[in-house]
């Protein structure tokens, strides 16, 4: 085996994916021929369900970029996506067998290479899957890599991730990824909209994150975000909101080393914590 399988959090079963195919950097060939007619049908049904929910819930930039994915006929060939993506922002997607280690993940992002799991969920997992699959990664993440500012932010995150790994601050930085790239909201002129992949690829959370009166929505603050734990098995209790991708990019230009020290000193917060200093957009 070239590399070891990766598991995050508690699990009673081994990780899915054939890690024997992976190179030392955890990338592998997509092997598009492996997909069955059922696999393509599952992808098309997931795509149709999510696309029907996008108006009024998803960020304009995501909706505008989605056609570039070329996913109407089923699971796209990564090489076809890359021909368009390289021209747009200089990024490319690379296949991986599943979850990969923190440092390997940061290395890929820092070099404008986004890892996409190459297997798809089974039909009985249509509504919920524990690990990210090709639908989550392609549909949720890749369209916004066609946006130049957001694409630059993701690369900057990868570069910062390598520094955080060296400082032992990977967990703190992972919370920024979770609350922006996975579960971020953006405030547009027509209201709050989702741009995070974990929201956009989930039928339930897409509506919940934007419409439900239950969650707390807070203007993004780096230190508040890094202190806040998150939920991996339920809808988020707190969402962080930005006003633009430019704001997100500029916010992450600073040296995070002193920020990590302050966050460690301040201590963690629960996923549903309330702070007097929060800039609340909705109270929950």
């Amino acid at each position: 085996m070239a590399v070891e399988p990766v598991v995050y959090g508690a699990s009673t079963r081994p990780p899915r994916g054939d890690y024997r195919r992976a190179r030392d950097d955890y990338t592998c060939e997509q092997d598009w021929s492996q997909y069955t007619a059922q696999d393509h049908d599952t992808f098309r049904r997931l795509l149709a369900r999510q696309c029907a929910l996008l108006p009024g819930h998803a960020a304009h930039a995501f909706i505008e970029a989605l056609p570039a994915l070329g996913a109407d006929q089923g699971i796209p060939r990564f090489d076809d996506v890359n021909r368009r993506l390289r021209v747009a922002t200089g990024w490319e997607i690379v296949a991986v067998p599943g979850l990969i280690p923190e440092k390997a993940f940061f290395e890929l992002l820092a070099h404008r290479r986004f890892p996409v799991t190459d297997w798809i969920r089974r039909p009985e997992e249509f509504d919920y899957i524990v690990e990210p699959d090709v639908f989550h990664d392609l549909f949720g993440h890749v369209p916004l890599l066609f946006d130049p500012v957001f694409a630059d932010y993701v690369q900057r995150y990868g570069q910062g991730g390598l520094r955080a790994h060296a400082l032992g601050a990977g967990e703190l930085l992972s919370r920024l990824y979770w609350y922006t790239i996975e579960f971020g909201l953006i405030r547009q002129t027509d209201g709050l909209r989702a741009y995070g992949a974990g929201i956009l690829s989930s039928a339930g959370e897409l509506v919940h994150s934007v419409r439900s009166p239950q969650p707390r929505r807070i203007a993004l603050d780096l230190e508040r975000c890094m202190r806040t734990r998150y939920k991996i098995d339920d809808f988020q209790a707190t969402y962080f909101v930005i006003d633009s991708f430019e704001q997100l990019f500029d916010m992450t230009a600073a040296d995070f080393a002193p920020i990590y020290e302050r966050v460690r000193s301040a201590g963690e917060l629960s996923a549903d914590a309330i702070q007097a200093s929060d800039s609340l957009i909705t109270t929950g």
Side-chain angles (χ1 to χ4, degrees):
M1 186 179 297
V3 294
E4 291 292 328
V6 177
V7 176
Y8 288 102
S11 177
T12 59
R13 62 172 177 79
R16 199 178 308 182
D18 183 4
Y19 285 79
R20 293 171 299 178
R21 301 184 295 120
R23 307 178 185 96
D24 290 345
D25 64 356
Y26 280 83
T27 65
C28 59
E29 298 302 318
Q30 183 190 18
D31 189 14
W32 190 83
S33 64
Q34 74 175 311
Y35 301 123
T36 66
Q38 183 181 74
D39 291 336
H40 288 293
D41 180 66
T42 297
F43 190 95
R44 283 191 295 267
R45 291 191 297 118
L46 287 164
L47 180 70
R49 180 177 69 172
Q50 293 309 115
C51 285
L53 294 171
L54 295 181
H57 296 107
H60 295 160
F62 180 87
I63 294 174
E64 291 170 2
L66 186 58
L69 200 59
D72 293 346
Q73 301 305 310
I75 303 170
R77 296 177 187 269
F78 291 2
D79 287 345
D80 291 342
V81 176
N82 281 336
R83 278 192 285 272
R84 297 183 289 272
L85 187 55
R86 290 188 189 105
V87 171
T89 59
W91 273 81
E92 65 176 8
I93 58 176
V94 292
V96 291
L99 296 170
I100 68 175
E102 177 183 90
K103 187 177 182 183
F105 180 68
F106 294 148
E107 286 277 6
L108 290 173
L109 297 189
H111 291 90
R112 296 177 91 87
R113 305 175 77 205
F114 195 90
V116 174
T117 302
D118 66 346
W119 52 262
I120 191 163
R121 69 194 71 182
R122 295 184 287 264
E124 61 268 25
E125 299 171 305
F126 190 82
D127 291 321
Y128 176 74
I129 187 167
V130 177
E131 299 171 53
D133 68 345
V134 68
F135 179 76
H136 166 81
D137 285 343
L138 267 181
F139 177 86
H141 285 288
V142 176
L144 281 180
L145 292 177
F146 284 88
D147 181 281
V149 179
F150 190 81
D152 285 348
Y153 167 66
V154 178
Q155 181 183 30
R156 175 171 282 179
Y157 179 89
Q159 294 165 339
L162 292 173
R163 293 190 290 271
H165 182 78
L167 293 170
E171 172 63 23
L172 302 183
L173 192 66
S174 73
R175 293 172 182 168
L176 178 63
Y177 187 93
W178 185 270
Y179 281 119
T180 60
I181 294 172
E182 287 288 358
F183 289 93
L185 296 179
I186 187 168
R187 186 159 41 183
Q188 299 180 162
T189 55
D190 54 352
L192 292 179
R193 298 291 185 268
Y195 71 90
I199 301 174
L200 292 164
S201 60
S202 166
E205 190 139 12
L206 183 52
V207 177
H208 173 84
S209 66
V210 174
R211 303 294 177 193
S212 174
Q214 295 177 345
R216 201 165 286 108
R217 300 174 181 90
I218 304 170
L220 178 64
D221 174 271
L222 285 178
E223 295 185 31
R224 170 68 161 94
C225 177
M226 289 184 189
R227 293 180 63 197
T228 308
R229 296 192 297 272
Y230 52 79
K231 298 186 175 185
I232 62 171
D233 56 359
D234 199 355
F235 294 159
Q236 301 306 301
T238 299
Y239 296 95
F240 289 90
V241 182
I242 62 171
D243 290 318
S244 68
F245 294 149
E246 287 82 3
Q247 174 200 1
L248 190 59
F249 181 75
D250 292 343
M251 186 179 287
T252 53
D255 176 9
F256 279 14
I259 295 176
Y260 296 144
E261 290 304 313
R262 291 196 297 270
V263 169
R264 288 187 177 109
S265 297
E268 293 184 333
L269 296 171
S270 66
D272 58 355
I274 301 172
Q275 294 284 285
S277 58
D278 288 343
S279 178
L280 285 171
I281 294 168
T282 64
T283 58

